[in-house]
Each structure stands twice: as C-alpha cells, then as structure tokens.
Amino acid sequence: IQNSLTLALIRHGKTMRGPSAKVREALNVRRDPTHGTDSEDWLGVPVTGDGKVHGAIVVQSYLPNIRYSEEDAALLGYVAQHILVALRRHSAYAELERRVEERTQALQVEIAERKRSEQLQAAYYRIAEIANRGESMDAFYRSLHEIVDGLLYAKNFFVALFDGRDTLTFCYVVDERDPVTEFATKPLGRGLTEYVLRTGRPFRGTREQRDALFTTGEAEAQGTPSVSWLGVPLKGASRLLGVMVVQSYSEGVVYTERDQEILTFVSHHIASALERKEAQDSLRRRS
C-alpha cells in the first residue's frame, strides 16, 4: 500500500476532491503505476468516528464531463457515517453471536461432563452391587463387560488376572477376530497385556505406537492387530490383580485420553469388587 492515494487520505483525515494527479500532489504521494490509472476526477471522504479515522470511501471518474461537486462530497460524507454505524452494529451483533456461541459450547461441555459424571457414579454403584450379588464369576464378568460397554466402546473386551508369580489367566474374553481358545492360562510373556502388568501403568496405542514397542523389544505382537488398544492395570489394595483391556478393529474407533481416564476410574472399583468377590467365594468354599 505504499504510495496509495487512499491510504494518504486516511492519514490526512479530511475530504479531498479533484483530478487524482492534483490530489496526489496535495497529499505528497508519489506516482505509482501499480495503483492504477489516473482519474479525471477523484473524491475521497474519511470514515470517522470517536475522533478516529476508520477507513475511507472513494469514487472516481475517468470521463472529462463527469466531475464531483461539494454536494457530492457532502452526500458521500453522509453515506460514510451511515456505513460506520452499520459496520458497528454488525460488529456488535457478530460479537454477541460469538459470545452466545461460546456460552452454548460451554453449557454443552458442562452438560456432557455432568452426564459423564452421573454415568460414572452409576457405574460405581452397579459394580458394588454385582460384587455383592453372590452370582457366579462368569455372570460377574458379563455384568462388568456390560457396565464398561455403557461407558466406552468395548465390543472387544477381556480381563486377565495375574497369580502374583508367573501365570496370567484370561478369565473373561469377548473378541471379534481371535477365538476364545487363544486366550488361556499361560506363563507370562511379552505381550501388551504383560507390558501393562510389568509397568503398572495404562497403555493406549495405535498400530504405530504398538509397533514402536515391538521394535524396541518392550513388547511382542500377539493375536490379530487391532486399530486401537487400551489396557489398564487392576490394582488391588495390596497387589496388582491383573489387566483389563478393550480394543477396536474399526478405523472409526480410536481410544482417547478421556477413554483412558474413564477405564482407569472403573478399573479401581472393579479391582475392589474382584477382591470382595474372591473373599466371598473363599468364605463360601470354607463353609
């Protein structure tokens, strides 16, 4: 915008009228062909408000018989003021819309968080309830699966328990790709489940993140590769009980940090429920 006649008018802050060459001379602007052809007559009025120049309106004529008068200048000045008012109204309305949108989004997040909190609270009560039912372990795990599936995608779900020494038992398995027979009691290996057990921390990974573990030897690939894998440790009061895992074979389902937080929250209550369940079963066998 260097050598712009319009910019010079804005800086000047007053109406200018006449052949563009003369206006340019009056405003001390150098001729610059990149700003177009000189006009026979040129009229520019600043758009002012609150003692500031906000812009300019310019009309120009390339015909010798069309010249702008003082009345034209006054009319254009009148129009300029109305344009400024309209722009301010539009800006105020846009700001109001933005604030309404922000508040709406905040309310939606607040409602979603409240709903999620209510779901987690309900899950906690349901876990406590099924732990005290006295039903079989198979029924207990089916109920747990139903609870987890109500909180996040858990079409593929398993619970593996650790005996505290060197054995891992897959006590409940539902999987779309791998047969249940591939999940059994086995010695500890180098799978992702054992990786979570070994580190005592949740692991959430895509194929690429899992491949990075396989490359470094931290873990070994087992079973059908999933698109997204999420495992959390089941930590009891005195020891690590096992691992709970959900996984997705669908490109449209990738577990998020929020999913990890939810599954970790649930895992604490499931671990407590498992310990109560084991204690109840132990007392039942003794009696």
Side-chain angles (χ1 to χ4, degrees), residues 153 156 158 175-178 192 203-211 214 221-231 245-251 253-255:
Y153 182 88
N156 305 283
F158 67 79
D175 196 90
E176 295 176 290
R177 301 292 177 86
D178 293 329
L192 287 174
F203 175 73
R204 172 174 52 92
T206 59
R207 287 195 190 102
E208 293 75 14
Q209 291 167 320
R210 296 197 305 274
D211 287 345
F214 302 153
Q222 296 179 349
T224 303
S226 57
V227 171
S228 187
W229 195 94
L230 172 59
V245 173
V246 291
Q247 54 187 332
S248 160
Y249 297 104
S250 170
E251 296 290 344
V253 180
V254 175
Y255 294 108

Side-chain angles (χ1 to χ4, degrees), residues 5-6 9 42-45 56-60 68 76:
L5 196 54
T6 305
L9 171 72
W42 193 93
L43 172 61
V45 298
I57 301 179
V58 175
V59 292
Q60 51 189 340
Y68 298 109
L76 200 60

Side-chain angles (χ1 to χ4, degrees), residues 33-86:
T34 63
H35 288 291
T37 307
D38 277 341
S39 57
E40 292 289 336
D41 208 23
W42 193 93
L43 172 61
V45 298
V47 178
T48 59
D50 301 326
K52 298 178 181 179
V53 180
H54 300 276
I57 301 179
V58 175
V59 292
Q60 51 189 340
S61 165
Y62 297 101
L63 302 176
N65 60 331
I66 296 181
R67 303 283 179 168
Y68 298 109
S69 63
E70 287 287 345
E71 290 78 7
D72 293 328
L75 178 60
L76 200 60
Y78 175 79
V79 171
Q81 294 307 307
H82 280 275
I83 288 176
L84 181 61
V85 170

Side-chain angles (χ1 to χ4, degrees), residues 11 89 105 124 132 161 177 188 191 210 229 250 269 272:
R11 288 172 171 165
R89 285 177 179 171
Q105 291 178 356
Y124 165 72
N132 295 319
L161 296 184
R177 301 292 177 86
L188 289 178
R210 296 197 305 274
W229 195 94
S250 170
H269 300 296
S272 298

Side-chain angles (χ1 to χ4, degrees), residues 6-185:
T6 305
L7 179 59
L9 171 72
I10 292 173
R11 288 172 171 165
H12 181 61
K14 296 179 181 179
T15 298
M16 296 294 294
R17 180 169 59 91
S20 59
K22 290 187 177 181
V23 174
R24 192 169 55 249
E25 183 181 346
L27 295 177
N28 196 26
V29 177
R30 185 171 60 84
R31 173 79 174 96
D32 189 341
T34 63
H35 288 291
T37 307
D38 277 341
S39 57
E40 292 289 336
D41 208 23
W42 193 93
L43 172 61
V45 298
V47 178
T48 59
D50 301 326
K52 298 178 181 179
V53 180
H54 300 276
I57 301 179
V58 175
V59 292
Q60 51 189 340
S61 165
Y62 297 101
L63 302 176
N65 60 331
I66 296 181
R67 303 283 179 168
Y68 298 109
S69 63
E70 287 287 345
E71 290 78 7
D72 293 328
L75 178 60
L76 200 60
Y78 175 79
V79 171
Q81 294 307 307
H82 280 275
I83 288 176
L84 181 61
V85 170
L87 285 173
R88 284 179 169 174
R89 285 177 179 171
H90 177 76
S91 178
Y93 184 75
E95 176 65 15
L96 177 62
E97 283 189 324
R98 186 187 64 79
R99 291 181 180 178
V100 169
E101 179 66 21
E102 285 181 352
R103 182 55 183 156
T104 301
Q105 291 178 356
L107 284 172
Q108 289 173 342
V109 171
E110 183 180 332
I111 291 169
E113 288 292 335
R114 188 180 305 145
K115 183 178 179 180
R116 193 175 290 113
S117 176
E118 291 171 354
Q119 288 175 331
L120 290 176
Q121 188 73 15
Y124 165 72
Y125 288 130
R126 287 189 63 194
I127 292 169
E129 178 190 349
I130 63 174
N132 295 319
R133 280 181 191 167
E135 58 188 8
S136 69
M137 290 304 292
D138 284 342
F140 173 75
Y141 285 122
R142 284 197 298 271
S143 297
L144 284 182
H145 185 190
E146 181 183 339
I147 291 170
V148 173
D149 194 40
L151 298 172
L152 48 82
Y153 182 88
K155 199 168 185 178
N156 305 283
F157 172 84
F158 67 79
V159 175
L161 296 184
F162 176 50
D163 68 349
R165 294 183 298 277
D166 57 4
T167 303
L168 199 60
T169 301
F170 291 83
C171 49
Y172 180 85
V173 178
V174 174
D175 196 90
E176 295 176 290
R177 301 292 177 86
D178 293 329
V180 177
T181 54
E182 290 194 12
F183 298 83
T185 299

